């Protein structure tokens, strides 16, 4: 959201300079730049923090098993790319142009990795065993089992007390 808001502010500032009269259009362009620089800084901090946490999780004993939710890695990197490009175009800073190129290469790498893993995942599902682990393959990691057990509790049938609370009905004593 931070990277996308920098992109949106930059686009609004650019359009405002075309639509609004002279002092207001220029003010909107300056406001987009004044907003974009600090928010872009926060976006970069969050990008580095998220990457560090993800890499740490991937390097643990259980690893980071592939799931189709890996596609969610592409969105924040993509918004950081668009925000950096918009900020570089607005400010004409060569440092931001260089950072936008690095982030773009990172985005392409993320897309390629996730695409390849998705294809391998689909091929594995097409195998006769349906991609289920055999005797020589691990069944699942501990975090997956914990998530599965916690979601099983959510799927438990609702009691009459829970239904009455959810529906807003009041209990009457007889």
């Amino acid at each position: 959201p931070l990277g996308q808001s920098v992109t949106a502010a930059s686009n609004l500032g650019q359009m405002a300079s075309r639509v609004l009269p002279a002092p207001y259009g220029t003010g909107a362009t300056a406001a987009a730049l004044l907003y974009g620089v600090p928010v872009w800084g926060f976006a970069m901090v969050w990008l580095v923090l998220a990457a560090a946490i993800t890499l740490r999780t991937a390097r643990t004993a259980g690893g980071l098993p592939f799931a189709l939710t890996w596609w969610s890695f592409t969105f924040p990197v993509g918004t950081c790319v668009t925000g950096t490009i918009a900020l570089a175009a607005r400010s004409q800073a060569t440092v931001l142009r260089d950072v936008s190129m690095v982030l773009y290469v990172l985005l392409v790498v993320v897309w390629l990795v996730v695409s390849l893993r998705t294809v391998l995942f689909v091929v594995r599902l097409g195998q006769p065993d349906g991609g289920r682990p055999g005797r020589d393959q691990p069944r699942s990691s501990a975090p997956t089992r914990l998530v599965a057990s916690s979601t099983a509790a959510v799927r438990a049938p609702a009691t009459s007390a829970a239904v009455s609370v959810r529906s807003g009905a009041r209990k009457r004593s007889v």
Side-chain angles (χ1 to χ4, degrees), residues 13-20 25:
Q14 181 182 6
M15 290 298 127
S17 66
R18 295 179 187 170
V19 176
L20 298 175

Side-chain angles (χ1 to χ4, degrees), residues 7-96:
T7 305
S10 179
N11 289 343
L12 286 172
Q14 181 182 6
M15 290 298 127
S17 66
R18 295 179 187 170
V19 176
L20 298 175
Y24 303 111
T26 306
T29 302
L33 190 59
L34 290 173
Y35 171 81
V37 171
V39 172
W40 179 83
F42 284 121
M44 293 302 105
V45 168
W46 280 111
L47 183 66
V48 168
L49 181 66
I53 291 170
T54 303
L55 290 174
R56 181 175 180 232
T57 303
R59 290 174 41 195
T60 60
L64 189 62
F66 178 76
L68 290 176
T69 55
W70 276 29
W71 282 102
S72 66
F73 290 132
T74 62
F75 178 75
V77 178
T79 61
C80 285
V81 169
T82 60
T84 306
I85 289 171
L87 200 56
R90 179 78 38 226
S91 68
Q92 299 298 319
T94 56
V95 171
L96 289 173

Side-chain angles (χ1 to χ4, degrees), residues 104-122:
Y104 182 74
V105 168
L106 175 66
L107 177 62
V108 170
V109 168
V110 169
W111 271 86
L112 290 174
V113 167
V114 175
S115 296
L116 178 65
R117 294 294 303 262
T118 301
V119 168
L120 294 174
F121 179 75
V122 170

